[in-house]
Amino acid sequence: MWEEKLKIYDELVNKCPRFERKGKSMIYTSANGYMFSLLNKAGEIGIRFSKEVQEEYIKAFSSSTYKSYGAVMKGYVLIPDHMLEDLDNVANYLNESYDYVMTLNPK
């Protein structure tokens, strides 16, 4: 199952030419010194937003906060499996997340 999710994650990131997937065991995207998406060991995809947008999207997606290695990831929204049927749509959220981290002070 994890391998299948990795393929989906790679396909998703490939739809976003401004950044690329990083990591070998921990799979993620980052820009401006911040991670903004993650594939955890449970095969769940999380995308980072501002606190306000996170709360809005948790409701809109009927989702929850995102956990990786037992820790709640600040600003991240768990992307429900049903949304992965439309990767073009999810790519819009991933691009929005990239735009968000680019507004933060560089690390």
Side-chain angles (χ1 to χ4, degrees):
M1 173 172 161
W2 190 86
E3 291 292 328
E4 187 179 309
K5 285 290 182 71
L6 176 61
K7 285 180 187 161
I8 291 169
Y9 184 81
D10 281 343
E11 191 178 334
L12 172 63
V13 173
N14 285 338
K15 292 180 175 291
C16 306
R18 297 182 294 166
F19 51 86
E20 57 190 36
R21 173 173 76 81
K22 299 181 179 178
K24 288 198 180 350
S25 58
M26 190 170 111
I27 309 301
Y28 66 99
T29 57
S30 70
N32 205 25
Y34 299 89
M35 287 194 321
F36 62 94
S37 78
L38 198 55
L39 176 67
N40 68 17
K41 63 184 178 188
E44 298 167 328
I45 296 172
I47 299 178
R48 182 180 183 176
F49 302 98
S50 69
K51 185 173 173 37
E52 300 77 29
V53 172
Q54 177 196 32
E55 291 170 3
E56 176 188 327
Y57 284 167
I58 284 173
K59 289 180 187 143
F61 301 167
S62 299
S63 189
S64 64
T65 56
Y66 179 76
K67 292 181 182 150
S68 183
Y69 295 94
V72 174
M73 301 294 289
K74 182 181 168 191
Y76 280 75
V77 175
L78 172 66
I79 303 303
D81 283 348
H82 69 86
M83 288 180 66
L84 300 176
E85 294 167 17
D86 184 356
L87 288 183
D88 289 335
N89 183 47
V90 180
N92 291 331
Y93 293 111
L94 189 54
N95 279 310
E96 179 183 337
S97 179
Y98 172 83
D99 292 338
Y100 165 65
V101 298
M102 293 306 286
T103 68
L104 302 174
N105 287 329
K107 276 189 170 179

